[in-house]
Amino acid sequence: MDKNKLFLGLTIAVIGLLLLLNPAGFIKIIVILLGIAAIIDGIFILAVTRNIILDPHYNKIVMIRGILSLLIGLVSVAFPLTVFQNIWTLIAYILGGYLIVSALLQLFTIFKLHRNGIMVRQSLIEVIVSLLLAAFLFVISYKKEILGYIFGALFLLMGLVIIYIVWKKRAIVLSPASVKTVEEPQEENQESKTE
């Protein structure tokens, strides 16, 4: 059984359940999750992606993107929880703007990576997802509760589907005590000896 996929399914299902129970808190959950994702992305960019190719322009853009990702992620998670409780919409707009800037910076890095013969498919997917999330963040301030119910149901369903698929594809292990050997009938053995 793939424990990573099982954990992902459980996480998505729990998020969906929380959204269904508290649809007004939808924007808070999204902002915090995207803030945490931005922090992880910033650390990954600075630790791994920065030195893929030896190009000073590429390194500078990636460094800016990594630091920006870390800062926006920290602000998105820490600032609303500690200072003001009612600025979730503002933080959502800041996160949306960051995702657009990050996608544009990544387009530059994709061009550099492609020129150096490095696969860019994953990076293109990341740019598209960033732009879609940015558009989503700009829209959610209008219909928070309705979107909370819709996405809660979708997340819960998606999480349960992932859990079901992982469960169905799990490896079935038989212990040696439950395995029986099948012996050939005696007649076949005697026929083969006479031949």
Side-chain angles (χ1 to χ4, degrees):
M1 185 181 308
D2 190 342
K3 291 181 181 176
N4 291 333
K5 287 184 182 173
L6 183 64
F7 178 74
L8 176 68
L10 286 171
T11 304
I12 292 172
V14 167
I15 291 169
L17 189 59
L18 290 174
L19 289 176
L20 286 173
L21 295 175
N22 185 14
F26 174 65
I27 192 169
K28 297 176 185 178
I29 292 171
I30 295 299
V31 165
I32 290 174
L33 287 176
L34 288 176
I36 292 169
I39 292 169
I40 294 168
D41 188 46
I43 292 169
F44 180 77
I45 289 168
L46 293 173
V48 177
T49 311
R50 191 169 51 115
N51 297 319
I52 288 179
I53 59 173
L54 298 172
D55 183 327
H57 298 296
Y58 171 84
N59 292 342
K60 188 183 289 184
I61 292 294
V62 170
M63 178 81 85
I64 290 169
R65 189 169 159 252
I67 292 170
L68 182 66
S69 185
L70 274 175
L71 290 176
I72 294 295
L74 288 171
V75 166
S76 298
V77 173
F79 193 66
L81 294 176
T82 57
V83 182
F84 301 106
Q85 293 296 319
N86 298 321
I87 63 166
W88 293 99
T89 304
L90 175 65
I91 296 296
Y93 285 136
I94 290 172
L95 263 172
Y98 152 74
L99 287 168
I100 291 172
V101 170
S102 177
L104 294 174
L105 290 173
Q106 188 151 5
L107 284 174
F108 175 80
T109 61
I110 286 171
F111 174 72
K112 289 285 190 181
L113 290 171
H114 184 66
R115 284 182 60 190
N116 284 283
I118 297 173
M119 296 275 295
V120 294
R121 182 173 174 239
Q122 187 75 25
S123 298
L124 283 171
I125 292 170
E126 191 176 328
V127 167
I128 293 168
V129 169
S130 293
L131 292 174
L132 289 173
L133 283 173
F136 172 72
L137 285 169
F138 289 130
V139 170
I140 62 171
S141 62
Y142 299 110
K143 303 284 183 186
K144 293 177 206 166
E145 290 196 19
I146 294 170
L147 285 172
Y149 282 121
I150 292 169
F151 278 90
L154 287 174
F155 277 29
L156 182 60
L157 182 64
M158 188 168 49
L160 293 174
V161 166
I162 291 171
I163 292 168
Y164 176 75
I165 290 171
V166 170
W167 182 257
K168 288 296 277 186
K169 290 187 174 182
R170 74 188 187 283
I172 298 174
V173 180
L174 298 175
S175 63
S178 65
V179 177
K180 295 180 180 178
T181 57
V182 178
E183 295 181 13
E184 294 180 20
Q186 292 291 332
E187 294 174 14
E188 289 180 9
N189 286 340
Q190 288 176 355
E191 287 177 8
S192 61
K193 287 179 182 176
T194 56
E195 290 177 3

